[in-house]
Amino acid sequence: MLSVRKAFARSGFGGWPRCRTTVAAMVGLLLLPVEASHAGWLSDVFKGTSKQAQSPKRQAPKQSPSPKRAAAPKPAASKPARVAKPAAAPKRRTAKVVAPKAAAKPSVSKTAATTCEPSKFRIVLDVGHTAQSEGAISARNVSEFVYNLRLTQRIEEKLKAEGFTETKLLLTEGKARASLVKRVAAANNLPANLFLSIHHDSVPKKFLEDWEFGGRKSRFSDRFSGYSVFVSSNNPEYKASLSIAELLAKEMKAQGLKYAEQYSQPIMGRYQHPLLNKETGVYSYDKLIVLKKTRMAAVLLEAGSIINRDEELQMDSAERRGIISSGVVAAIKEYCDRRWGILGPL
């Protein structure tokens, strides 16, 4: 330290007292650790400024982010608007649209309304053809009209015995087409709930063969046999017609009978008809007058073939008439009360 004073004295700075401030600064530099020195430290010493005076200016920028963060909750105010969107009116309107669909269920109740009380269910049993227009002639020279009348009478007896007291047997007179118009008018005037026309089957003339029976010439065809059930899509009560036809065909099959498959084949020519149910034998016959002109459900039953020599013998028996009439009654009872088809007679 003495060497330093001599050096300053010799240098002409005016002695120690005058330069003690400078010496103090230099000593401070020599004693200061390297890690603590920085560019602003000397200026602070000479200018007499303190870091505390400048710290507010430097910390002010650091505090600026805090207001921005505080402002962050503001967007949160917009979140309720986003949440409210699902509760908007359009979605409520969409929910209301479902209500009309549920209201459409009464149409199903109409189907349920087809359940009927047997004593109030009016059935017209139409005897196919007339005494003047007898229909087909059997292999043993008996007219179809005779077979139709006997079977229809048996069905009428069984229906009335089962409580269908409003059953009417319909007999008409006259030639073929005129009689068809008469029976349709009679059925529509009742009015009835069901029109059931009873027939027995034959075949187109091209399939007929000659033979003799009882000393008389006759014609037959053993090629085809079986029952068949027909409906018309032009009938105003087509759905009911088809429902009854399906039940009737099902009962016929349940009785061990088979349906006539030939009506679906091209060989039948103009007598070919669309097969609606290949399991039970329900056909469509749209243009038949008694099926399309009646204002109630209408079904036509071809009970079996009387041109087939073996089947004619069966159709002529009381046993077969009993089987067919039981099938008809069972089908109508099940149509009026579907439980009957599961439980049987109550």
Side-chain angles (χ1 to χ4, degrees):
M1 183 67 72
L2 292 175
S3 61
V4 173
R5 289 180 180 177
K6 290 178 180 182
F8 275 102
R10 291 174 183 174
S11 62
F13 276 92
W16 172 253
R18 188 179 288 180
C19 62
R20 59 185 176 182
T21 302
T22 303
V23 173
M26 291 178 68
V27 172
L29 285 172
L30 292 174
L31 297 176
L32 182 69
V34 176
E35 293 85 355
S37 62
H38 56 83
W41 187 83
L42 282 176
S43 63
D44 290 342
V45 172
F46 285 104
K47 291 180 181 179
T49 59
S50 67
K51 294 180 181 179
Q52 293 177 353
Q54 292 181 356
S55 61
K57 295 181 181 179
R58 291 178 182 178
Q59 290 177 358
K62 292 181 181 178
Q63 293 176 356
S64 61
S66 59
K68 292 181 180 178
R69 289 174 188 170
K74 291 183 179 179
S78 62
K79 289 183 179 179
R82 293 176 184 175
V83 175
K85 286 182 180 179
K91 289 195 175 181
R92 292 178 183 173
R93 291 187 190 124
T94 304
K96 291 179 181 178
V97 175
V98 179
K101 291 182 180 178
K105 289 183 179 178
S107 62
V108 178
S109 67
K110 290 182 180 179
T111 304
T114 58
T115 57
C116 55
E117 295 180 32
S119 61
K120 297 180 180 179
F121 193 71
R122 296 192 180 99
I123 305 170
V124 173
L125 293 177
D126 172 45
V127 180
H129 301 286
T130 68
Q132 296 78 26
S133 181
E134 297 180 312
I137 301 298
S138 75
R140 292 171 174 81
N141 298 310
V142 179
S143 73
E144 180 190 349
F145 174 74
V146 172
Y147 280 96
N148 294 346
L149 178 59
R150 286 189 301 188
L151 178 58
T152 307
Q153 288 173 333
R154 185 74 181 104
I155 293 172
E156 179 191 21
E157 290 173 5
K158 282 210 168 189
L159 281 170
K160 287 183 174 180
E162 291 292 334
F164 293 91
T165 54
E166 291 298 312
T167 300
K168 305 291 183 184
L169 190 144
L170 180 61
L171 273 172
T172 53
E173 298 180 350
K175 296 296 181 180
R177 189 169 184 83
S179 69
L180 294 177
V181 175
K182 287 180 181 178
R183 66 190 70 210
V184 167
N188 290 337
N189 287 336
L190 280 176
N193 300 105
L194 171 63
F195 180 90
L196 178 60
S197 189
I198 304 299
H199 290 255
H200 289 74
D201 214 355
S202 185
V203 294
K205 291 181 180 180
K206 64 181 179 180
F207 297 123
L208 293 174
E209 302 176 55
D210 295 330
W211 79 311
E212 281 191 9
F213 176 77
R216 294 175 57 189
K217 289 183 180 181
S218 186
R219 309 191 81 185
F220 75 97
S221 177
D222 296 336
R223 185 171 179 177
F224 307 113
S225 63
Y227 71 89
S228 49
V229 184
F230 295 89
V231 293
S232 171
S233 62
N234 295 321
N235 183 280
E237 296 293 334
Y238 174 64
K239 288 184 179 180
S241 301
L242 184 60
S243 178
I244 296 171
E246 292 280 7
L247 292 170
L248 176 54
K250 183 191 75 174
E251 290 297 336
M252 296 288 281
K253 183 178 180 179
Q255 298 287 348
L257 306 178
K258 73 179 191 69
Y259 76 88
E261 299 179 4
Q262 69 268 19
Y263 283 108
S264 63
Q265 300 173 7
I267 57 173
M268 295 299 288
R270 65 188 181 93
Y271 297 103
Q272 182 183 5
H273 298 288
L275 181 60
L276 302 179
N277 189 326
K278 65 179 182 180
E279 296 296 326
T280 56
V282 178
Y283 290 92
S284 176
Y285 198 162
D286 289 343
K287 296 181 179 180
L288 193 63
I289 292 176
V290 295
L291 295 181
K292 73 175 184 178
K293 293 293 185 181
T294 44
R295 292 196 292 267
M296 71 290 300
V299 178
L300 186 144
L301 170 64
E302 292 280 3
S305 176
I306 56 174
I307 204 68
N308 181 302
R309 289 175 295 184
D310 292 336
E311 190 159 61
E312 181 191 9
L313 293 176
Q314 297 169 2
M315 303 307 298
D316 194 37
S317 68
E319 181 182 1
R320 178 57 66 87
R321 287 193 291 273
I323 289 173
I324 295 172
S325 58
S326 294
V328 172
V329 172
I332 296 175
K333 288 181 72 174
E334 186 172 350
Y335 176 74
C336 280
D337 189 347
R338 297 297 173 130
R339 294 176 302 170
W340 195 91
I342 300 173
L343 303 176
L346 300 177

